[in-house]
Amino acid sequence: MKTYSISEAANELNLTAYALRYYDKEGLIPFVERTASGTRRFKEADLDALKIIECIKSTGMPIKEIKHFIDWCLEGDATLQQRYEMFVERKARVEAQMEEMKKTLEIIEHKCSYYKTALEAGTEDIHKNPKLEFPQY
Amino acid sequence: MKTYSISEAANELNLTAYALRYYDKEGLIPFVERTASGTRRFKEADLDALKIIECIKSTGMPIKEIKHFIDWCLEGDATLQQRYEMFVERKARVEAQMEEMKKTLEIIEHKCSYYKTALEAGTEDIHKNPKLEFPQY
DNA sequence: AATAGACTTTGAGTTAACTCTAAGATTTGA
DNA sequence: TCAAATCTTAGAGTTAACTCAAAGTCTATT
């Protein structure tokens, strides 16, 4: 069965070896096994688990909270409810973030056309409302 | 013309007065005027500018880079090109983030149904592949 | 068998973005 | 008018998530 050294694993996951050791220190990857002399050996399943961790992290969950999830996983079926609720909550969070991002995109697009027009005119003045004494950026 | 004290402005923007002072220290809001004795008075236009700053910030741009944009604004029409390019770049960034978020959402949704099924069965074992010796979380 | 390179841990350093404290000045409301 | 609340600055403290350095051990290749 193929395994990966810490820097190979880091490479696969687009992380650094430092970051993986930090995750280990924080208790995110208790499942990663070691050789007799203490070197970490990452299995494919470990990389898959780390991909899930990265996914959860990208939703904005801090590492300390992700650790709770890992602890639940280690506790087994007794924590299925908590884990389910966590993902339901993450889903809501991501959906809200996407809504926010849509609004952000609209504003940014508006600014793109604002500056495109200004650039064509050679001056921002064409957008200036004489009633406003200050540029709106 | 209505103006706002720092804590009123903070309230309007869902920020803290500390954060606004920090923004000021970092040069993000050079346009905010002061009373003769030095108290900041925020105008409506200032709040609008801060909303744009928050919008740019939400795209992941660090405050030091946002300051460059503010500096360009102060320089006037000579920097229209840079500002245009910045927003075009921000647009691409947000679009990429939305794509990433879609993938994240799919994984999270998959986990939701994974745990829903497990919860109904009372055990995670129904998802276990006997070939895998480790849970995939 | 030797040596280069990768691994280990511990603990310190970094960075961003606030957040707060202290001490003092100003503003507001009874 | 006077106390309470709010404002000011300077600078220190906080937190998250790494990131690195040092000193030593292990592994892989000649």
Side-chain angles (χ1 to χ4, degrees):
Chain A
M1 195 221 320
K2 169 140 205 222
T3 65
Y4 300 79
S5 73
I6 194 162
S7 45
E8 285 165 346
N11 237 293
E12 289 292 316
L13 296 159
N14 290 313
L15 293 171
T16 65
Y18 295 139
L20 284 175
R21 288 195 197 97
Y22 171 70
Y23 288 1
D24 201 3
K25 205 182 327 192
E26 294 298 306
L28 291 198
I29 48 171
F31 44 78
V32 173
E33 292 178 13
R34 309 278 190 124
T35 63
S37 55
T39 299
R40 292 173 189 85
R41 294 311 315 182
F42 291 76
K43 297 186 290 282
E44 287 294 349
D46 297 345
L47 300 190
D48 290 344
L50 272 158
K51 280 172 198 159
I52 296 299
I53 287 170
E54 288 306 293
C55 171
I56 300 173
K57 205 153 73 66
S58 79
T59 71
M61 182 176 277
I63 279 170
K64 282 192 180 154
E65 278 179 52
I66 299 177
K67 190 199 181 306
H68 296 153
F69 166 67
I70 299 296
D71 290 344
W72 287 335
C73 290
L74 297 175
E75 282 175 47
D77 288 337
T79 63
L80 284 173
Q81 184 72 40
Q82 283 101 309
R83 287 184 270 163
Y84 173 63
E85 281 166 13
M86 187 199 89
F87 279 110
V88 168
E89 191 246 298
R90 281 299 104 187
K91 180 172 185 290
R93 181 62 102 87
V94 173
E95 281 165 351
Q97 284 172 351
M98 286 180 83
E99 278 312 301
E100 273 307 292
M101 215 170 266
K102 271 187 206 168
K103 286 181 204 159
T104 296
L105 186 57
E106 271 176 38
I107 296 169
I108 301 278
E109 279 170 345
H110 179 265
K111 286 292 165 184
C112 283
S113 46
Y114 171 100
Y115 279 111
K116 191 165 190 293
T117 317
L119 210 43
E120 278 159 13
T123 177
E124 218 174 335
D125 291 352
I126 53 157
H127 292 298
K128 285 234 172 71
N129 182 335
K131 288 174 201 154
L132 295 169
E133 67 296 301
F134 207 86
Q136 315 114 78
Y137 293 115
Chain B
M1 195 224 317
K2 168 139 204 224
T3 65
Y4 301 79
S5 73
I6 194 163
S7 45
E8 285 165 347
N11 236 292
E12 289 292 315
L13 296 159
N14 291 313
L15 292 172
T16 64
Y18 294 140
L20 284 175
R21 289 196 196 96
Y22 171 69
Y23 287 0
D24 201 2
K25 208 184 317 194
E26 293 298 307
L28 291 199
I29 48 172
F31 44 78
V32 173
E33 292 179 11
R34 309 277 191 126
T35 64
S37 55
T39 298
R40 292 174 189 86
R41 296 309 315 181
F42 291 75
K43 298 186 291 282
E44 287 294 348
D46 298 344
L47 300 190
D48 290 344
L50 271 157
K51 281 172 198 159
I52 296 298
I53 288 170
E54 288 304 295
C55 170
I56 300 172
K57 206 155 71 65
S58 79
T59 71
M61 182 176 275
I63 280 170
K64 283 194 178 153
E65 277 179 52
I66 299 176
K67 191 200 182 306
H68 295 152
F69 166 67
I70 298 297
D71 290 344
W72 287 335
C73 289
L74 297 174
E75 281 176 49
D77 288 338
T79 64
L80 284 174
Q81 184 72 40
Q82 284 101 308
R83 287 184 270 163
Y84 173 64
E85 281 165 13
M86 187 199 88
F87 279 109
V88 168
E89 192 244 299
R90 283 297 105 186
K91 180 172 184 292
R93 181 63 102 88
V94 174
E95 282 164 350
Q97 285 171 351
M98 286 180 82
E99 278 310 303
E100 273 305 292
M101 215 172 266
K102 271 188 207 167
K103 286 182 206 160
T104 296
L105 186 57
E106 272 177 39
I107 296 169
I108 301 277
E109 278 171 345
H110 180 266
K111 287 291 166 184
C112 284
S113 45
Y114 172 99
Y115 279 111
K116 193 165 187 297
T117 318
L119 210 44
E120 279 158 11
T123 176
E124 217 175 337
D125 291 351
I126 54 158
H127 291 299
K128 284 233 172 72
N129 183 335
K131 286 175 202 154
L132 294 170
E133 65 297 302
F134 208 84
Q136 313 115 79
Y137 294 112

